[in-house]
Amino acid sequence: FSAIVSAPADQVPKSLMITSSVADEGKTTVATCLASMMARSGKRVILIDADSRRPDAAKLMQVPGGPGLMDVLTGNASLGDVIQTHEASGAFIISAGNAPINPPAVLASEQFAATLKGLADRCDMVIVDSPPVMAVSDALAMASHMDATVLVARWGVTKRASVRLSVRYLNNAGASLIGGVLTQVDAGKYALYGYGDSGSYTGDLAAY
């Protein structure tokens, strides 16, 4: 993520989707932390919770739920009604809102594409926290609208087959997959593999 933040302005994606293969891999934590980090560095960032079934982003950022993205896309609210501010970091947040009958159809709509573009034109980055790829088709519905996508996987839990299948699904849906994030890593076990950076977590550099 430091590569994204420090890249030249013309190389930074304006819209970035954070997704995972299955639930409980840490994608929402990654999305909220990235939004907070970028906002604290002076960037104008909007975090969108696009997971209307498990809308945890607003909860993690400790802002009220209420009307959100889905209400805007279904014509029941305006953008001005749903954009909130995370006081601690300065990041803007749009909660998921009230789940429609068919979320994938709403997220695949031109209305979503237009809303995303309008937000991207007003800030440095729009970060979208999406549902897991293997659970529902929402992430695939949004994939082609996003400038870039990052796939989150949980250390020692997520099956390699699930990751491979998620990558295939995302690519087939038109996603620009730029990388992955491994979460909840056991630093001690990681060091046993002898990777060059393992000392950063368990050796003399661990204190930093």
Side-chain angles (χ1 to χ4, degrees), residues 10-192:
D10 60 344
Q11 296 178 23
V12 175
K14 294 286 288 183
S15 57
L16 176 68
M17 182 168 71
I18 309 294
T19 191
S20 61
S21 297
V22 295
D24 301 320
E25 297 194 78
K27 65 176 180 58
T28 300
T29 300
V30 169
T32 54
C33 286
L34 178 61
S36 179
M37 179 182 70
M38 291 190 67
R40 289 174 188 274
S41 72
K43 303 293 185 182
R44 187 174 175 86
V45 181
I46 296 179
L47 171 65
I48 299 178
D49 188 346
D51 191 344
S52 58
R53 298 169 186 82
R54 294 181 61 176
D56 293 329
K59 196 181 305 179
L60 274 179
M61 299 290 269
Q62 297 182 325
V63 299
L69 173 68
M70 295 302 180
D71 301 283
V72 172
L73 299 182
T74 54
N76 295 316
S78 67
L79 271 177
D81 295 330
V82 302
I83 297 178
Q84 303 182 69
T85 304
H86 182 233
E87 296 297 336
S89 67
F92 297 101
I93 305 169
I94 298 177
S95 64
N98 298 296
I101 295 175
N102 188 354
V106 174
L107 293 170
S109 68
E110 288 303 316
Q111 178 66 19
F112 173 74
T115 300
L116 182 66
K117 184 180 185 306
L119 291 171
D121 288 342
R122 294 163 56 183
C123 65
D124 295 303
M125 183 181 290
V126 178
I127 300 171
V128 176
D129 176 29
S130 88
V133 174
M134 304 293 291
V136 289
S137 60
D138 300 30
L140 303 181
M142 293 184 285
S144 64
H145 297 309
M146 310 300 303
D147 289 342
T149 295
V150 168
L151 183 65
V152 173
R154 183 175 173 181
W155 165 275
V157 174
T158 309
K159 293 180 172 56
R160 293 182 182 181
S162 296
V163 174
R164 284 195 291 266
L165 197 56
S166 295
V167 169
R168 184 190 309 167
Y169 285 163
L170 287 166
N171 285 334
N172 289 343
S176 176
L177 195 59
I178 62 171
V181 175
L182 197 60
T183 63
Q184 302 183 50
V185 176
D186 184 315
K189 291 182 180 179
Y190 179 80
L192 295 177

